Amino acid sequence: MDFLRWLFEAQIPVGGSALVLREVLGNIFGLLSALGGMRRKVWAWPIGIVGNILLLTVFLGNVFGAAAPATLWGQAARQIMFIAVAIYGWYRWQQGRQSSAQGRAIVPGWASNKVRIALIGAMVAGTAALTPLFDSLGSYPPVWADAWTFTGSLLATYGMARGWTEFWLIWVAVDIVGVPLLFSAGYYASAVMYLFYGFFTLTGFFVWWRAEKRERASRESGSPVVVAASAGVAR
């Protein structure tokens, strides 16, 4: 109990203010999960779940009586969604690794044009549908930005589980809106991490793109080409 009390109360002094330790730790776990995802490692999913649980307690803000500056219902619900989809992704990647002759959890590929149109439509429709809901719950304005980041995060995480290379670009769209929102709401640690994620996700996109081309060339030539797990990692 003493450890939990310390975890919920601990802060890191920065200048004249302080950062909530759980927010910093949650984002560190999130970064490790993103690195694992770029390298197509199954452990990326459980590591991410730990970060999601920590950030859930942060974004609920006043519910826990914490030092968090504002309650962001979309960001909090996003963590619950992450956990649910991560369980699916964990299972899917684990099954893929067991069935792969080379032990790779997932083979990157492109979504069809029909799926891409569906993703764009779901992004717009999800944002429109969730904005009034989050507004009624008292989420920090602009509420549409909270709904956008929630919807995009859901689609990006699902796309990662399915192995669609485009999921990295969805994260870029999430970061473009999410960074200003988090800075405005006072979640500086998460905002800085999101800013870093923006560059990170672009790198991940090109890493998966190159891996997909190698896999496709391997299938077309009929000769196995081993894609190094860390190939192209520059983040």
Side-chain angles (χ1 to χ4, degrees):
M1 294 299 294
D2 289 340
F3 172 76
L4 289 177
R5 183 179 297 109
W6 169 82
L7 182 62
F8 271 79
E9 296 177 355
Q11 299 183 33
I12 303 175
V14 177
S17 60
L19 299 176
V20 177
L21 177 63
R22 284 171 290 124
E23 183 182 3
V24 176
L25 290 176
N27 280 290
I28 290 175
F29 276 98
L31 176 59
L32 292 174
S33 177
L35 282 168
M38 184 167 63
R39 300 176 64 192
R40 293 182 283 161
K41 297 294 187 179
V42 174
W43 55 256
W45 296 103
I47 288 293
I49 289 174
V50 175
N52 298 145
I53 293 173
L54 288 169
L55 290 175
L56 172 63
T57 67
V58 172
F59 289 122
L60 285 177
N62 295 332
V63 174
F64 281 90
T71 299
L72 289 176
W73 289 106
Q75 294 289 333
R78 184 171 175 256
Q79 306 308 315
I80 298 174
M81 174 273 297
F82 276 148
I83 294 171
V85 180
I87 293 173
Y88 165 74
W90 189 357
Y91 171 78
R92 184 177 176 87
W93 281 31
Q94 183 65 35
Q95 292 296 106
R97 185 174 65 177
Q98 291 174 354
S99 62
S100 173
Q102 296 177 352
R104 290 194 293 271
I106 197 75
V107 176
W110 297 101
S112 66
N113 288 332
K114 183 178 180 180
V115 170
R116 291 174 182 172
I117 293 173
L119 288 173
I120 294 173
M123 189 77 170
V124 175
T127 300
L130 290 174
T131 296
L133 173 61
F134 290 165
D135 187 40
S136 66
L137 291 172
S139 193
Y140 190 83
V143 182
W144 72 265
D146 204 13
W148 172 273
T149 57
F150 176 87
T151 304
S153 299
L154 170 60
L155 296 175
T157 308
Y158 178 71
M160 176 179 170
R162 294 298 302 269
W164 295 330
T165 304
E166 290 92 342
F167 91 87
W168 292 105
L169 298 181
I170 300 176
W171 276 127
V172 173
V174 169
D175 293 337
I176 289 173
V177 174
V179 169
L181 174 66
L182 290 169
F183 269 121
S184 175
Y187 288 98
Y188 301 115
S190 294
V192 171
M193 187 61 69
Y194 269 49
L195 186 61
F196 176 73
Y197 279 160
F199 297 100
F200 186 91
T201 50
L202 282 175
T203 304
F205 170 72
F206 289 109
V207 168
W208 273 45
W209 188 0
R210 287 195 295 269
E212 187 276 335
K213 288 199 297 184
R214 291 190 181 99
E215 294 284 354
R216 179 158 36 87
S218 173
R219 291 193 300 268
E220 292 173 352
S221 65
S223 59
V225 177
V226 178
V227 181
S230 59
V233 176
R235 296 180 181 184

